Amino acid sequence: MIPARFEYDVAESPRHAVELLGAVEDAKLLAGGHSLIPLLRLRFARPTLVVDIGRLEELSYVRDAGDAIAIGALTRHADVVAAPLLQEHCPIVSTTAGLIGDPQVRHRGTIGGSLAHGDPASDLPAVMLALGAELTILGPEGERTVGIDDFFRGVFETAVGADELLTEIRVPKLGQRGWSYLKFTRRAQDWATVGVAAVVRRDNGAVADARIGLTNMGATPLRAQAAEQALVGQPAASAAAMGAALVADGASPPSDTHGSAEFRAHLARVLARRALEEAIGR
Amino acid sequence: MTAVETGPSRSSGRWIGTSVPRREDYKLLTGQGTFVENMTVPGMVYLALVRSPYAHARIVNVDTARAAGAEGVVAVFSGADLEGDFAAGLPCAWPVTEDIRLPTHRPLATDKARYAGDGVAVVIAESRAAAKDAAELVQVEYEPLAAVVDVEAAAADGAPRVHDEFDSNVSYVWKLEAGEVDQAFAGAAVTVKERYYHPRLIPSAMEPRGVLAQPGPTGELTLYSSTQIPHILRVTLSMVLGMPEAKLRVVAPDVGGGFGSKVEVYAEEALALALAKRLGRPVKWTEERSEGFLATIHGRDVVQEMELAATADGVVTAVRAKVTAAMGAYLQLITPGIPLLGAWIYGGCYDVKAYSFEATGVFTNATPTDAYRGAGRPEATYAIERAMDALARKLDLDPVELRRRNFIKEFPATIASGLTIDSGDYDASLDKALELLDYGAARKEQQERRERGDVKQLGIGFSTYNEMCGLAPSRILGAIRYVAGGWDAATVRCLPTGTVQVLAGTSPHGQGHATTFAQIVADELGLDVNDVEVLHGDTAVTPLGMDTYGSRSLAVGGIAIHNATQKVVDKARTIAGHQLEASVDDLEYADGRFSVKGSPDRGMTVKEAAFAAWTAHDLPDDLEPGLEATAVYDPPNFSWPGGAHVAVVEVDTQSGDARLVRYIAVDDVGAVVNPAIVDGQVHGGIAQGVAAALYEEAVYDEEGNLLTGSLLNYLVPTAAELPAFELARTETASPTNALGVKGVGETGTIASGAAVANAVVDALSALGVTDIQIPATPERVWRALEEARLKEARS
């Protein structure tokens, strides 16, 4: 309930945030606080310094960037849900953001925080994997861009370094591609027991290309590559069942009180079938 | 709503029977409630406990030096340091058998920690943060021991022993047998034998526990505690502390829920008092939520073997129930008695002639169990109602028809286990429930889904229940070795200017006493409900009472209030007769006014009598001034609510997800004082039973670590998981009390678990599933379906 002692500083700009992070060991960024504050209160996280970036208005936006939509890392989930550009060009993002937590969470939590925390049980990472999003990271040396496939590195570990700040997420406009994100929860606002994100391109009644992201099916958010490969060239009418059967191949889902690894694999197949049917039919 | 029968002297008036808005809510909803955590007193210091991370470990050494030297720390003590501060261990008030194994329960463990969360040291500091930081610096050397958390494993020979002084983990065996049980089973056309496990549950009151102990200048101590039982706390804690009871005052301010978990004498209460006394400073402790998961009592954790004997027509002739109940690491206030609270009603609302019940209480290396909403009765109802469905399947009978063939129909009814049910009409409740459900349409839809092979199958589950509450006749409590009585008390005090104080011996934690009790008194004295103030929860203010649990506040405490009010009316009548110069026999009383028969203009109100009683200028000889009265009421019987609950669930046969889609509850809780409050009680009660059936379960690993130690993984359902409940009532007034009321606080929880579990099994029965372990998690449903498929493939 009471965090261990820490210092607190407010970042005046993204560059200032990076400077503050670089000045001490074990500094942590505070955005919406929905991951960090519970960890602080349970004393699982004991940073020496908390750098508050919650006031960096310049990192909260949704913009048209040609073939992609650019989303500022500090954009709150509620603003992602309401963004007309996303609703029109990439509704899988706005729809999924609306499935996170509850209204209070969605008005505090940010898209960047959700991704940079690297929690395999969060919804947006799987969606970003299915989309092939690109991320901009600001560090002491300046900006760099990382593809989502290189972003999730390990257990709660991402490409964002200790003295870096995720600033922007770019998601491709979906165009004709079909999409779906289905999550399974026991209670409305729970973390997903399992989630499946699918983005599918069809061509002449067959699947031309598919990307599938999985929530809570391993130590990191991950893609179901065996299923993706098997789907290519499959007739649209029968593809979903075939893809679903392979969706858990290569995954090492956790076992906990929400479900055993075996059940999660089963659930992933059930959800993948439904998600693929929806994506192919959309 | 059907009024089947009304009691002989039931009050009716302007307020009783109406949904007066809860008078408590304004302050609570505007943040003006006074919970212990809101209280600050000068010189206050903060207490933090160091708790064992091990479920079972020898305490080798406690090094407090580093913590004692930390900033802001006032004192640090180990269990051994404080041993001399207590005259006795924490009490168990219900040693159910003469030979019960009753271990010493020290406020802080000294030799061994016996569950993860057992307190081993305390830190007192100038701020809560300093106390918490310093608690991390207390170095406890443990020697971990093998732990046992499974109740059956704990009862087996060779299990790790929770208490070294006993040669077994079995605390007691308690039996009740009536009629020719073996004979009935031997001669039965049909028998069923089922095994159920009622999971361990964590009560999860919205307000965590909190304690503030304040020392006075001449040895007085005041304890503010988030408790359901201020009166019982004073009795017991004065013994634990070895101090004069009269010097101890206990106050339960606003209390944000308890569900039984605050019917308890907790270590933190004893520690805060002892430390306040030792340090001469007020000591405050506020439970952290994650601490509460470990150190506030749990409920249930009972293995049940349930057998029914029946004729070929489905008439149940005998019940045999054998339960093994986890006590956890220690016997808390009434831990051993919980199975006994269900012991008489494993036959449910059925006319069973031969009856056998046996309970074995077993120590485990887990948080102690104790009363959790329903306490013993949800377990009993679960067993009989699930077994009735099993019998219906065996006989290929509709579960509704089977129940009807067995209902008790004549009241009062003395049941085989020996108690007498005051009143009821189980058919009436069931009729009403079936009508609300539209049973035919529901079965038709179920059949259509089955024929189409829908992914989502429909299940309809019944629970026709009764229960004994309104705890309790003192003589019966004595006969079953509970150490206190079951009466309650109230004072009704008419103030000189006409408003009234009610001093209640019961102590609410969300029930709405201040509203319901005021309704009773306002009607009987002809007042506006807002002219009646209800005071409670302070041993310095109210008469001695027995507090709030077991659905007793209205059925026992409310009758004391009624009786005290009647005494006030009687005294006012004497005053009125004197001043009106009329014989009291010639006075009529209505709406708070006495008038002389035949000349209605000559009259006097209770308000006027109150003023006359205060001035005392002109009272009859020998009549004491003042208009107030105290009544103590010991109920002659339990009250016996009953009814019919129906759950409709939809089960996704692929994902295993079971969702409650409809819930119909028709309850007979006797006469109703405030329908909205009754509905609220039923709503909350149902939600907690549904929770046990679908969501909540405390899970330990084999080492005794609680895996469900937060609200992230102990799944208390929310409004989003529950449909709008459909409630109705039938009414058979209790003939045992003047208001005709019965308890209602626990009915929903007692009935609903079985209804939902039966519905899940019903949804899957066409697919070969005959049982499901609760909570019916998606994984359990999936595994049950897989097993049924395999079985079918093999056959």
Side-chain angles (χ1 to χ4, degrees):
Chain A
M1 192 164 72
I2 298 163
R5 190 179 290 269
F6 60 85
E7 297 298 318
Y8 170 88
D9 218 332
V10 176
E12 307 291 344
S13 69
R15 290 226 158 270
H16 185 217
V18 169
E19 281 164 29
L20 290 169
L21 287 175
V24 293
E25 292 274 307
D26 295 331
K28 271 284 188 189
L29 285 174
L30 174 68
H34 276 81
S35 303
L36 182 61
I37 287 178
L39 294 174
L40 288 174
R41 288 164 66 100
L42 292 167
R43 300 194 169 202
F44 292 158
R46 292 167 174 259
T48 50
L49 171 68
V50 169
V51 177
D52 188 349
I53 54 171
R55 298 173 204 187
L56 299 182
E57 288 298 321
E58 62 263 51
L59 292 184
S60 176
Y61 56 82
V62 178
R63 288 181 198 138
D64 196 321
D67 290 340
I69 305 294
I71 309 167
L74 267 163
T75 311
R76 313 262 171 204
H77 300 314
D79 295 326
V80 171
V81 174
L85 278 172
L86 288 168
Q87 288 170 357
E88 184 183 346
H89 296 294
C90 203
I92 188 173
V93 175
S94 50
T95 304
T96 301
L99 301 176
I100 296 170
D102 52 39
Q104 285 138 307
V105 169
R106 293 196 288 273
H107 279 83
R108 290 294 307 166
T110 65
I111 188 169
S114 179
L115 295 171
H117 190 49
D119 187 340
S122 288
D123 300 305
L124 287 171
V127 166
M128 294 300 156
L129 284 166
L131 282 168
E134 285 195 334
L135 303 103
T136 304
I137 296 168
L138 179 69
E141 313 298 323
E143 279 187 352
R144 62 195 178 96
T145 300
V146 177
I148 192 76
D149 289 334
D150 298 320
F151 187 74
F152 300 109
R153 296 281 171 83
V155 183
F156 292 89
E157 190 194 335
T158 68
V160 183
D163 54 355
E164 292 186 315
L165 171 68
L166 174 63
T167 55
E168 186 177 275
I169 299 97
R170 272 187 306 284
V171 293
K173 292 180 179 174
L174 282 176
Q176 295 303 306
R177 282 177 289 177
W179 60 274
S180 176
Y181 179 67
L182 297 180
K183 73 191 276 194
F184 184 87
T185 59
R186 302 269 305 277
R187 296 177 302 180
Q189 74 273 50
D190 280 336
W191 301 98
T193 306
V194 170
V196 177
V199 174
V200 179
R201 188 162 59 80
R202 283 163 309 173
D203 194 15
N204 282 331
V207 172
D209 179 48
R211 285 178 70 103
I212 300 170
L214 299 178
T215 302
N216 219 358
M217 283 293 287
T220 66
L222 73 162
R223 282 172 64 189
Q225 284 170 331
E228 289 175 357
Q229 284 157 19
L231 279 165
V232 177
Q234 291 298 320
S238 59
M242 151 155 278
L246 297 172
V247 78
D249 285 19
S252 326
S255 280
D256 57 31
T257 54
H258 292 271
S260 67
E262 193 187 358
F263 178 62
R264 279 197 162 88
H266 165 75
L267 206 50
R269 289 189 286 269
V270 171
L271 293 184
R273 168 104 190 230
R274 294 175 187 178
L276 285 166
E277 277 171 0
E278 191 170 65
I280 291 167
R282 205 162 211 159
Chain B
M1 230 153 288
T2 324
V4 176
E5 190 190 323
T6 51
S9 60
R10 187 185 154 203
S11 300
S12 62
R14 191 172 155 203
W15 305 108
I16 291 179
T18 65
S19 291
V20 173
R22 279 167 41 100
R23 304 160 78 206
E24 296 86 342
D25 286 344
Y26 178 80
K27 74 172 175 183
L28 295 175
L29 295 175
T30 56
Q32 297 181 80
T34 306
F35 298 92
V36 175
E37 171 56 14
N38 303 127
M39 302 173 82
T40 300
V41 295
M44 192 166 84
V45 289
Y46 296 83
L47 167 66
L49 271 82
V50 178
R51 299 184 185 278
S52 170
Y54 298 103
H56 198 193
R58 207 160 293 290
I59 299 164
V60 179
N61 185 42
V62 181
D63 181 353
T64 58
R66 273 186 71 204
E71 190 187 332
V73 170
V74 174
V76 186
F77 301 108
S78 68
D81 294 338
L82 294 180
E83 253 195 309
D85 291 34
F86 300 103
L90 298 174
C92 170
W94 202 344
V96 294
T97 60
E98 243 172 83
D99 60 350
I100 187 171
R101 293 186 173 102
L102 186 58
T104 301
H105 184 186
R106 293 182 177 83
L108 287 179
T110 52
D111 52 346
K112 293 206 295 188
R114 294 177 180 83
Y115 68 97
D118 209 353
V120 294
V122 288
V123 174
I124 302 94
E126 299 288 351
S127 74
R128 182 172 294 152
K132 176 99 179 161
D133 286 346
E136 291 186 338
L137 301 176
V138 175
Q139 287 167 322
V140 184
E141 190 186 329
Y142 295 99
E143 179 195 329
L145 302 168
V148 62
V149 287
D150 178 272
V151 64
E152 287 178 311
D157 289 343
R161 268 184 287 143
V162 179
H163 296 280
D164 299 344
E165 64 269 38
F166 304 135
D167 57 8
S168 154
N169 288 323
V170 173
S171 173
Y172 70 85
V173 178
W174 189 94
K175 293 178 187 179
L176 171 68
E177 184 148 338
E180 301 297 326
V181 177
D182 292 341
Q183 206 175 314
F185 274 92
V190 193
T191 61
V192 293
K193 182 171 184 175
E194 300 287 306
R195 181 191 152 87
Y196 305 118
Y197 172 65
H198 209 297
R200 179 176 271 260
L201 299 172
I202 300 177
S204 309
M206 198 181 292
E207 184 207 7
R209 289 190 290 126
V211 173
L212 169 59
Q214 191 171 17
T218 53
E220 310 91 335
L221 281 167
T222 300
L223 179 74
Y224 301 91
S225 183
S226 178
T227 184
Q228 298 173 228
I229 54 163
H231 295 282
I232 292 174
L233 274 187
R234 179 168 62 171
V235 180
T236 51
L237 285 170
S238 69
M239 292 193 273
V240 173
L241 273 287
M243 68 180 286
E245 194 179 343
K247 291 271 190 192
L248 180 60
R249 173 185 172 201
V250 180
V251 183
D254 287 321
V255 177
F259 313 120
S261 72
K262 295 173 182 173
V263 183
E264 210 56 77
V265 183
Y266 279 110
E268 294 83 0
E269 292 166 322
L271 286 165
L273 284 171
L275 292 165
K277 196 167 145 188
R278 193 186 249 259
L279 301 169
R281 294 180 71 174
V283 175
K284 184 174 183 177
W285 173 77
T286 304
E287 180 183 75
E288 300 188 21
R289 178 62 67 181
S290 45
E291 199 176 18
F293 273 90
L294 298 171
T296 291
I297 63 99
H298 295 175
R300 321 279 197 268
D301 197 354
V302 179
V303 175
Q304 303 171 311
E305 278 176 25
M306 185 71 181
E307 292 176 81
L308 300 181
T311 67
D313 294 336
V315 174
V316 178
T317 53
V319 169
R320 189 190 279 141
K322 203 172 166 189
V323 308
T324 309
M327 304 285 98
Y330 299 98
L331 302 182
Q332 289 273 2
L333 191 63
I334 57 168
T335 304
I338 301 306
L340 273 64
L341 288 170
W344 283 266
I345 61 165
Y346 274 75
C349 45
Y350 310 114
D351 192 6
V352 179
K353 304 293 185 216
Y355 185 86
S356 160
F357 172 87
E358 181 181 317
T360 303
V362 182
F363 295 112
T364 59
N365 290 115
T367 298
T369 60
D370 207 326
Y372 172 49
R373 203 169 191 169
R377 290 150 291 159
E379 296 92 309
T381 301
Y382 186 76
I384 180 65
E385 289 305 296
R386 297 262 352 246
M388 287 299 276
D389 265 32
L391 179 61
R393 275 192 299 277
K394 196 154 187 179
L395 292 167
D396 200 22
L397 258 182
D398 186 303
V400 169
E401 176 55 27
L402 177 67
R403 284 169 169 80
R404 283 201 196 281
R405 287 185 193 177
N406 287 285
F407 278 154
I408 295 164
K409 294 189 197 302
E410 301 288 328
F411 298 91
T414 298
I415 53 178
S417 55
L419 296 179
T420 299
I421 300 174
D422 54 358
S423 68
D425 186 341
Y426 304 133
D427 275 307
S429 306
L430 183 54
D431 289 342
K432 185 98 191 163
L434 293 173
E435 182 193 322
L436 287 166
L437 169 68
D438 194 346
Y439 190 37
R443 284 285 181 215
K444 185 161 171 275
E445 188 187 341
Q446 179 183 51
Q447 192 52 36
E448 286 166 2
R449 291 197 194 197
R450 284 177 175 174
E451 282 162 12
R452 287 195 303 264
D454 282 6
V455 170
K456 286 186 179 175
Q457 289 291 322
L458 202 67
I460 305 154
F462 293 88
S463 174
T464 50
Y465 77 101
N466 64 8
E467 62 123 338
M468 43 183 274
C469 64
L471 305 182
S474 299
R475 268 190 272 183
I476 293 182
L477 292 179
I480 56 176
R481 300 180 56 85
Y482 177 65
V483 301
W487 47 266
D488 220 287
T491 297
V492 173
R493 177 183 295 152
C494 297
L495 300 174
T497 57
T499 54
V500 173
Q501 287 181 322
V502 177
L503 315 178
T506 58
S507 185
H509 42 288
Q511 290 85 349
H513 289 29
T515 307
T516 305
F517 291 167
Q519 287 178 253
I520 295 169
V521 176
D523 261 0
E524 296 182 0
L525 299 182
L527 299 173
D528 188 279
V529 74
N530 293 310
D531 287 340
V532 183
E533 286 299 314
V534 180
L535 308 177
H536 50 67
D538 184 343
T539 58
V541 172
T542 70
L544 285 181
M546 288 290 181
D547 308 314
T548 290
Y549 44 83
S551 304
R552 68 187 305 277
S553 285
L554 180 59
V556 182
I559 309 308
I561 290 169
H562 164 81
N563 290 350
T565 311
Q566 291 307 311
K567 286 187 184 179
V568 163
V569 172
D570 287 345
K571 186 169 180 183
R573 180 181 284 113
T574 305
I575 296 167
H578 175 74
Q579 300 218 341
L580 296 169
E581 296 176 344
S583 156
V584 291
D585 298 333
D586 290 336
L587 294 181
E588 286 176 328
Y589 180 66
D591 298 330
R593 182 174 182 271
F594 299 96
S595 58
V596 180
K597 277 178 195 163
S599 37
D601 292 349
R602 284 178 63 210
M604 184 177 206
T605 64
V606 173
K607 275 190 188 189
E608 289 162 346
F611 190 74
W614 180 66
T615 63
H617 295 166
D618 183 16
L619 293 178
D621 294 345
D622 306 327
L623 194 73
E624 291 175 3
L627 186 56
E628 74 172 71
T630 296
V632 183
Y633 174 73
D634 197 357
N637 189 2
F638 298 93
S639 85
W640 293 80
H645 285 212
V646 191
V648 181
V649 300
E650 212 171 54
V651 184
D652 183 324
T653 54
Q654 293 175 349
S655 69
D657 197 21
R659 296 275 159 179
L660 185 65
V661 292
R662 282 185 76 189
Y663 197 93
I664 294 148
V666 181
D667 296 296
D668 173 2
V669 297
V672 169
V673 176
N674 186 314
I677 286 178
V678 167
D679 285 352
Q681 285 279 20
V682 173
H683 270 262
I686 291 169
Q688 279 177 309
V690 173
L694 294 179
Y695 297 101
E696 294 183 16
E697 179 179 28
V699 182
Y700 286 93
D701 68 13
E702 283 184 7
E703 281 82 49
N705 300 301
L706 182 64
L707 300 179
T708 51
S710 91
L711 291 167
L712 281 177
N713 40 34
Y714 185 80
L715 305 184
V716 177
T718 70
E721 282 71 56
L722 300 168
F725 302 146
E726 300 162 61
L727 308 186
R729 276 188 285 281
T730 56
E731 186 177 317
T732 64
S734 175
T736 62
N737 67 65
L739 296 174
V741 297
K742 302 179 180 183
V744 66
E746 299 163 291
T747 57
T749 308
I750 289 165
S752 58
V756 176
N758 281 339
V760 173
V761 173
D762 184 59
L764 305 176
S765 61
L767 299 167
V769 173
T770 56
D771 189 22
I772 191 81
Q773 171 60 48
I774 57 168
T777 62
E779 177 154 4
R780 284 190 177 130
V781 168
W782 170 64
R783 288 190 186 281
L785 282 166
E786 288 290 295
E787 211 173 283
R789 275 180 207 124
L790 277 176
K791 206 189 260 177
E792 184 161 320
R794 278 198 299 264
S795 67

